[in-house]
Amino acid sequence: MLQKIYDWIDERVDVTPIWRDIADHEVPEHVNPAHHFSAFVYCFGGLTFFVVVIQILSGMFLTMYYVPDIENAWRSVYYLQTEVAHGQIVRGMHHWGASVVVVMLLLHTCRVFFTGSYKKPRELNWMVGVLLFFVILGLGFTGYLLPWDNKAYFATQVGLEIAQQVPFIGDALRTLLAGDPTIVGAQTLARFFAIHVFFLPAALFALLGIHFILIRKQGISGPL
Amino acid sequence: MSEKKQQVTRRQFLNYTLTGLGGFMAAGMLAPMVRMAIDPVLQESGAGDMANVGLAVEDITNEPQRVDWTITQVDGWYESEVTKSAWVFVNENDEIQAFSPICTHLGCVVSWEGSEEYPDQFFCPCHNGRYYKDGTNVPGTPPTAPLSVYEHSVENGMLYLGQPIPRGEA
Ligand code: HEM
Ligand code: FES
């Protein structure tokens, strides 16, 4: 059945070369844990992506219940956590996944560093990786405010103070992030929500796209 | 390797195992999310409490009268007061009738004798839908079903109304 649907499409559109080009290539021996167990360090990039996928999916589902409004944000999170079947699990996935993403990302970065994979011709992809790192930190920072509990509020207060320390543009930067020069409130929450759910994910997708295209073009770096 | 014909090749076996494993992981990831998303569909509809609508039974006449009352509605994390309405009267058999004013065509609000041209009928101004006094829709007008009937009870001489129950197509 599936094979027939695939053949029907393939006959008309010739999709096989497209996905072959993306997916069908050999895993070199030195990155295959079946040959050298220590090659598992090459899995960290893929694991980071896997956790990012979990974050995106669980985040999309959380948005079905979450409302970015100071009157209702906490209550909507409380409701989804206590009243909605499996809400606790999905929120848990997003909550813990946010930390696991950063851990995986750091392990991946260490692998790239210690195998020297950032060297010519792959400098560009290292830079893209650094941007990805900041985007993911940004997602963690903006997401942390969304439950609108005490921890969220005061953590953001501190985060904004840090932004304010930037020379010359600090004050403007804080206002830009918080929506107000002094208050952490209604406007801050709305902004952080927009940044967390639209702007940074869009940047994340673009950067991941470039990251993967570059890997496909340049191939994985050689053995040590 | 024996001469025997192979039922499943090594490649097929690995394909099936990997697809199964991948499917299992994807399912484990998606199951809680999907269960959470469809939760509203699976919620038991809270058997509606009966509300005192502030109308004494002795004040109910043969003439349908409109009663409005407010209930506390719990909508997820949001509680609010909402107003509900009914048309209440006693019919020829001395039975209390309480009709929902929601037109069964497309949901406008009907009124008793809402049109001068049709006395003794419920009238919906949106598309000239009409209902007889017993709530059945007048054939040839847009509504396709009679007005819904509120569950009702009487306590200490006061009228209590619950949920509007749809009557089938007529
Ligand atoms: C790498 C990607 C992401 C990271 C690191 C991340 C991080 C976070 C963090 C730390 C929180 C606070 C959770 C808590 O304290 O319980 C959060 C909340 C939230 N995130 Fe994300 N997030 C990511 C992607 C997304 C995406 C793509 C969406 C939506 C499309 C999303 C929607 C939400 C929502 C609605 C909340 C509020 C609900 C809650 O606090 O449980 N997130 N996020
Ligand atoms: S909504 Fe009442 S007649 Fe159409």
Side-chain angles (χ1 to χ4, degrees):
Chain A
M1 177 65 185
L2 281 179
Q3 188 66 44
K4 276 198 175 146
I5 296 176
Y6 178 84
D7 290 343
W8 189 88
I9 297 174
D10 198 37
E11 197 187 329
R12 274 143 253 258
V13 197
D14 200 22
V15 285
T16 301
I18 303 177
W19 73 256
R20 277 270 154 89
D21 191 48
I22 296 170
D24 199 17
H25 49 100
E26 227 154 273
V27 179
E29 192 182 311
H30 73 284
V31 305
N32 186 341
H35 285 96
H36 313 281
F37 181 68
S38 60
F40 72 84
V41 292
Y42 285 92
C43 293
F44 290 135
L47 287 173
T48 313
F49 180 63
F50 178 66
V51 185
V52 163
V53 170
I54 294 185
Q55 289 306 98
I56 290 164
L57 287 173
S58 57
M60 281 164 56
F61 280 90
L62 285 174
T63 315
M64 281 190 169
Y65 289 94
Y66 178 79
V67 278
D69 164 64
I70 53 171
E71 296 276 351
N72 289 300
W74 186 85
R75 284 197 269 170
S76 70
V77 174
Y78 186 77
Y79 175 80
L80 95 85
Q81 173 104 9
T82 54
E83 302 288 330
V84 179
H86 288 28
Q88 199 176 22
I89 299 179
V90 179
R91 176 155 185 242
M93 289 164 86
H94 202 75
H95 178 104
W96 296 106
S99 300
V100 177
V101 151
V102 177
V103 171
M104 288 299 156
L105 189 59
L106 289 176
L107 290 172
H108 174 59
T109 312
C110 288
R111 191 283 286 173
V112 172
F113 181 76
F114 286 114
T115 55
S117 309
Y118 54 86
K119 292 176 188 170
K120 194 178 175 198
R122 298 189 177 78
E123 308 95 316
L124 198 57
N125 224 4
W126 176 270
M127 296 178 208
V128 171
V130 172
L131 293 179
L132 273 167
F133 179 60
F134 286 124
V135 166
I136 287 179
L137 286 190
L139 279 161
F141 176 58
T142 51
Y144 207 69
L145 178 69
L146 302 184
W148 200 248
D149 50 15
N150 269 302
K151 193 172 57 142
Y153 180 86
F154 287 105
T156 303
Q157 191 98 310
V158 172
L160 290 172
E161 301 262 327
I162 295 172
Q164 209 163 3
Q165 306 305 312
V166 175
F168 307 115
I169 57 161
D171 288 342
L173 187 63
R174 193 223 117 101
T175 310
L176 187 67
L177 280 171
D180 187 279
T182 49
I183 304 170
V184 176
Q187 305 192 75
T188 319
L189 186 58
R191 254 161 206 264
F192 272 48
F193 180 72
I195 295 171
H196 187 77
V197 169
F198 292 106
F199 290 82
L200 289 179
L204 186 71
F205 294 153
L207 290 169
L208 282 176
I210 300 172
H211 204 65
F212 294 151
I213 290 169
L214 285 177
I215 295 168
R216 197 69 190 86
K217 275 223 98 80
Q218 303 179 316
I220 201 109
S221 57
L224 289 178
Chain B
M1 209 51 77
S2 70
E3 298 289 287
K4 227 174 57 186
K5 191 177 128 226
Q6 290 226 272
Q7 302 279 313
V8 179
T9 64
R10 189 185 172 83
R11 170 174 284 260
Q12 269 175 329
F13 173 76
L14 285 172
N15 261 335
Y16 292 155
T17 328
L18 282 176
T19 312
L21 188 68
F24 183 75
M25 283 173 72
M29 208 166 99
L30 284 169
M33 302 182 195
V34 171
R35 179 61 185 82
M36 171 173 117
I38 63 173
D39 195 49
V41 182
L42 301 179
Q43 289 282 344
E44 303 262 312
S45 69
D49 292 336
M50 304 292 271
N52 183 342
V53 300
L55 179 67
V57 173
E58 57 191 24
D59 294 332
I60 304 177
T61 62
N62 291 323
E63 180 76 2
Q65 58 176 308
R66 183 176 162 141
V67 286
D68 298 300
W69 71 101
T70 51
I71 58 158
T72 306
Q73 175 177 281
V74 182
D75 171 16
W77 55 88
Y78 185 71
E79 283 189 24
S80 59
E81 304 277 304
V82 293
T83 304
K84 310 239 279 175
S85 309
W87 288 97
V88 181
F89 62 99
V90 284
N91 66 9
E92 323 65 272
N93 304 329
D94 258 352
E95 294 160 345
I96 295 176
Q97 300 283 299
F99 293 153
S100 157
I102 305 302
C103 183
T104 58
H105 179 223
L106 293 172
C108 287
V109 178
V110 305
S111 304
W112 175 247
E113 299 193 330
S115 163
E116 311 245 312
E117 288 162 52
Y118 304 106
D120 284 332
Q121 288 188 358
F122 291 99
F123 179 76
C124 177
C126 290
H127 318 94
N128 299 338
R130 287 185 279 131
Y131 304 82
Y132 299 117
K133 189 175 178 186
D134 69 358
T136 39
N137 45 310
V138 175
T141 69
T144 54
L147 292 171
S148 299
V149 182
Y150 278 103
E151 349 168 76
H152 76 270
S153 66
V154 174
E155 269 169 59
N156 301 325
M158 298 299 285
L159 178 67
Y160 283 69
L161 295 182
Q163 296 297 312
I165 311 291
R167 292 186 269 180
E169 306 232 334

